[in-house]
Amino acid sequence: MPKVTIAQNILAANDTIAEDIQQMLRARGIYTLNIMSSPGAGKTTLLERTLARLQGRIGVGVIEGDIETTADGERIEATGAETVQINTRGACHLEAHMIRDALAQMDMSHLQMLFIENVGNLVCPSSWNLGEDLRVVLTSTTEGDDKPAKYPQMFAAAQVMVINKLDLLPYVDYDLAKVKWQALAINPQLRIFELSCRSGEGLDAWCDWLLTVTVAQHKL
Ligand SMILES: Nc1nc2c(ncn2[C@@H]2O[C@H](COP(=O)(O)OP(=O)(O)OP(=O)(O)O)[C@@H](O)[C@H]2O)c(=O)[nH]1
Ligand SMILES: [Mg+2]
């Protein structure tokens, strides 16, 4: 059997599990976001800041995906959020069966929102459905302003782009307008947030929008 056919079958099997996960999460009224970025763009930091702002307003759970270590899971657990860490042991992306297993360990009874932090990688995670309602690609000012053009599939697959580390703009060669233009050329529907997890700029707008979509989705 040609290798490409095998790969397609694996992705199809993943999609079937992802559909089951999505049905189950929607039935429970849990809105799910898959956060993807290159390593170090600030996924865990954005989650820490977001959880601090959402605390006491809605119930939030987090699945942390990493190749190794429980470091990010421990950072998130410290916020008080329901947290499960996945170690992929070498795999460069999360797959739906990993989410299914993580959810089996999670107390979902009080959750309205679930964040999945994917493995730091701008390539493979975009091909693997996890049952999420929304795909968020995070990019930061320290990565260079050519990322949408060089990794178009990730930006095409996302509904939201967050540009992080605005506080470092004075120190890096980064053309913000170019990044937005490149991303919108690939995906004209992309909703864009610009923020700094360090200074706090833009975080309220991001969190207010998250609350709005959760309320709209589930009529809380
Ligand atoms: N200056 C600045 N640093 C930031 C900002 N957001 C995150 N960082 C720093 O960037 C580094 C990486 O942040 P993480 O949140 O661990 O990044 P990540 O995307 O979760 O990384 P992986 O899980 O390894 O893929 C840390 O040193 C953060 O403190 C920001 O807005 N401004
Ligand atoms: Mg992280």
Side-chain angles (χ1 to χ4, degrees), residues 64-177:
E64 271 296 330
D66 279 298
I67 292 177
E68 295 287 349
T69 85
T70 55
D72 285 1
E74 287 164 25
R75 286 169 62 185
I76 295 300
E77 200 161 46
T79 70
E82 180 75 26
T83 311
V84 176
Q85 174 84 55
I86 297 172
N87 279 152
T88 63
R89 305 274 188 233
C92 57
H93 57 269
L94 293 177
E95 299 180 17
H97 69 90
M98 301 175 191
I99 302 302
R100 182 183 57 196
D101 294 349
L103 288 172
Q105 299 176 54
M106 186 172 260
D107 176 7
M108 292 181 275
S109 56
H110 60 291
L111 303 186
Q112 282 104 34
M113 186 172 281
L114 173 70
F115 290 101
I116 302 169
E117 177 178 338
N118 218 311
V119 176
N121 177 354
L122 268 185
V123 186
C124 327
S126 65
S127 302
W128 296 82
N129 294 327
L130 303 180
E132 70 272 33
D133 293 302
L134 198 78
R135 289 176 169 202
V136 179
V137 59
L138 180 64
T139 188
S140 67
T141 59
T142 50
E143 290 166 48
D145 54 20
D146 53 2
K147 292 302 161 286
K150 291 179 77 173
Y151 301 91
Q153 193 185 330
M154 176 60 79
F155 293 83
Q159 290 87 40
V160 174
M161 173 171 77
V162 175
I163 303 175
N164 186 30
K165 308 194 187 183
L166 281 192
D167 56 291
L168 296 179
L169 268 179
Y171 313 106
V172 291
D173 292 330
Y174 189 86
D175 185 339
L176 197 57

Side-chain angles (χ1 to χ4, degrees), residues 53-73:
R53 282 169 171 74
L54 296 183
Q55 224 153 33
R57 302 168 83 176
I58 55 169
V60 184
V62 180
I63 296 176
E64 271 296 330
D66 279 298
I67 292 177
E68 295 287 349
T69 85
T70 55
D72 285 1

